[in-house]
Amino acid sequence: MKEGVLSTSSRIEGMGVSKILQLAQAARELRANGVSVIDLSAGQPDFDTPDNVKSAAKAAIDAGQTRYTALDGTAEMKDAVREKFRRDNNLSYERNEVMVGAGAKQLIFNAFMATLDAGDEVILPTPCWLSYFDIVKIAGAKPVAVSGQLEAGYKITPDQLRKAITPKSRWILLNSPSNPSGAVYSAAELAALLEVIADHPRLWVMADDVYEHIRFGDTPFATPAAIRPDLKQRILTVNAVSKAFAMTGWRLGYAGGAPELIRAMSVVQSQSTSNPCSVSQAAAVEALTGPQGFLDTARTAYARRRDILINGVSAIDGIEARAPEGSFFAFVRITDLLERQTPDGTILPDDNAVSDYLLDKAKVVTVPGSEFGLPGHLRLSFAVADTDLSLAVERMKTALDALQPVKEPAQ
Ligand SMILES: Cc1ncc(COP(=O)(O)O)c(C=O)c1O
């Protein structure tokens, strides 16, 4: 290696800082230059953390809870997690079956690092959160995308899953409600997938339930371990206070699963971050066991915003929008906009170009579907103030209505 020239590991080959962070940065720069930008790329609630949770954190600081804690979470936090799983999900876990980490992401990272080897495969129903792909790759394994299209409500079928399973399949990741599609699997749909999984003892299930509380339809929330208690020993249920309680910055997630998996995950965490933040744990105990009214307040606001966004974009020519049943994202198909021409004569070949055009002309930040493994789409966040959403829709309509179909060359 030449002195001063960085040689990065093959582990992170081809990976960059996520496009979403780049977009957020572009929006910040435009704003700093006085441009009015509306950011629909946000992956986090725009609400403040509830006051009772903030007070619990302040009390913890004053009480001196500022030292290392048990590696995998304080006893109080683990018991709060157990209580939450029992109350909300009808799931019973012992203390040695739960683990607390710095966000859901760390639990996912721990689990994949602790269990995957080169050649192993992880089945990822797409569209999905891009981090799953990169974490699987960092762990040395291979992501296998199985695509749910708009017509299927962006969900995968048991048949698709059966075809994707090989002797190397080690995990399938189920995220419902989904980022980015907002799709929610019903208990019956999950049961049908679990029936396939039951036949493959080496295949484990990771249930990423971080959007559990952000749901709008009548479909009750369902989580795999509660549906198939007989498979609970190979299901890791991951959740976090991040999205539910507007606590993304506190970095606090948790998981329930088999004791041997939790032990292996603790090994990874012990040599990376050690315990999650002591103050955040105290705050999360209050979030999980204190008054739960914030969840309804937030849900009502998201439902209203979802309607503003979906009604608005559905009226734009070239956009096909399906109302999401959960999460704070709408995933809209824009294949009809591709190959159209901008007023200055540029052809828009793909979702990245449409997203760039919207930033340039409408000053609205959107995330291309390619970022989630399903090109030809845009993800629009509605964790944004109502007035901003209405304005964003107006601006998008003006910019997209200005596109022209490319004329066929004369014969
Ligand atoms: C599906 C999904 N899982 C996990 C996370 C990460 O959650 P946390 O902030 O708790 O690490 C996100 C964040 O965007 C997400 O969208």
Side-chain angles (χ1 to χ4, degrees), residues 36-342:
S36 142
V37 179
I38 303 173
D39 188 358
L40 303 189
S41 74
Q44 59 182 336
D46 57 324
F47 304 112
D48 203 9
T49 302
D51 283 343
N52 63 314
V53 174
K54 290 197 274 192
S55 299
K58 289 173 198 161
I61 294 172
D62 289 341
Q65 291 178 32
T66 53
R67 308 232 157 108
Y68 292 134
T69 73
L71 164 68
D72 54 355
T74 62
E76 293 76 19
M77 180 59 198
K78 284 185 163 202
D79 285 347
V81 169
R82 293 170 65 210
E83 166 60 14
K84 182 266 171 236
F85 276 136
R86 194 196 53 71
R87 181 192 64 213
D88 295 349
N89 309 118
N90 197 24
L91 284 173
S92 145
Y93 289 110
E94 298 301 320
R95 272 198 194 160
N96 66 346
E97 293 177 309
V98 300
M99 167 163 203
V100 187
K105 191 182 238 175
Q106 186 174 28
L107 278 314
I108 298 167
F109 188 85
N110 287 345
F112 285 163
M113 288 299 279
T115 57
L116 292 172
D117 278 315
D120 288 340
E121 294 175 356
V122 177
I123 298 172
L124 300 177
T126 56
C128 71
W129 189 40
L130 193 72
S131 292
Y132 300 147
F133 278 90
D134 284 355
I135 297 174
V136 169
K137 288 190 215 155
I138 287 177
K142 185 179 151 201
V144 175
V146 179
S147 175
Q149 300 290 332
L150 187 153
E151 288 69 19
Y154 297 114
K155 296 184 234 186
I156 65 159
T157 62
D159 220 36
Q160 281 182 294
L161 171 59
R162 201 174 289 111
K163 288 186 185 127
I165 297 173
T166 76
K168 294 175 177 168
S169 306
R170 294 295 310 279
W171 287 96
I172 170 167
L173 212 152
L174 295 173
N175 171 223
S176 168
S178 152
N179 171 13
S181 73
V184 173
Y185 283 85
S186 69
E189 286 166 336
L190 284 178
L193 294 177
L194 290 162
E195 192 59 35
V196 175
I197 291 160
D199 292 337
H200 299 273
R202 266 177 59 82
L203 179 61
W204 287 48
V205 179
M206 189 178 301
D208 179 345
D209 292 350
V210 295
Y211 296 101
E212 168 182 8
H213 293 292
I214 307 173
R215 280 177 299 104
F216 315 110
D218 297 330
T219 312
F221 178 72
T223 193
I227 295 172
R228 286 292 296 257
D230 58 320
L231 301 180
K232 187 170 159 230
Q233 287 303 301
R234 53 185 172 104
I235 296 173
L236 183 71
T237 307
V238 177
N239 210 324
V241 292
S242 315
K243 316 282 178 176
F245 296 95
M247 293 177 69
T248 46
W250 299 73
R251 309 309 303 131
L252 212 288
Y254 53 92
E260 64 272 23
L261 173 60
I262 297 293
R263 235 183 346 264
M265 289 165 63
S266 300
V267 172
V268 176
Q269 187 158 303
S270 74
Q271 301 307 351
S272 49
T273 59
S274 291
N275 65 269
C277 168
S278 58
V279 177
S280 296
Q281 290 188 70
V285 168
E286 174 63 18
L288 294 181
T289 60
Q292 302 289 295
F294 175 81
L295 299 174
D296 267 340
T297 310
R299 194 174 15 235
T300 306
Y302 292 134
R304 192 181 60 241
R305 294 161 173 192
R306 175 189 85 145
D307 292 346
I308 295 173
L309 182 64
I310 292 295
N311 293 339
V313 294
S314 297
I316 300 177
D317 175 45
I319 290 189
E320 292 171 88
R322 180 185 161 276
E325 293 117 41
S327 83
F328 37 67
F329 302 113
F331 200 59
V332 301
R333 188 156 69 184
I334 52 150
T335 40
D336 286 352
L337 293 174
L338 305 185
E339 302 303 332
R340 290 194 192 177
Q341 193 171 316
T342 67

Side-chain angles (χ1 to χ4, degrees), residues 5 57 199 282 341 363-364 409:
V5 177
D199 292 337
Q341 193 171 316
K363 303 290 181 268
V364 174

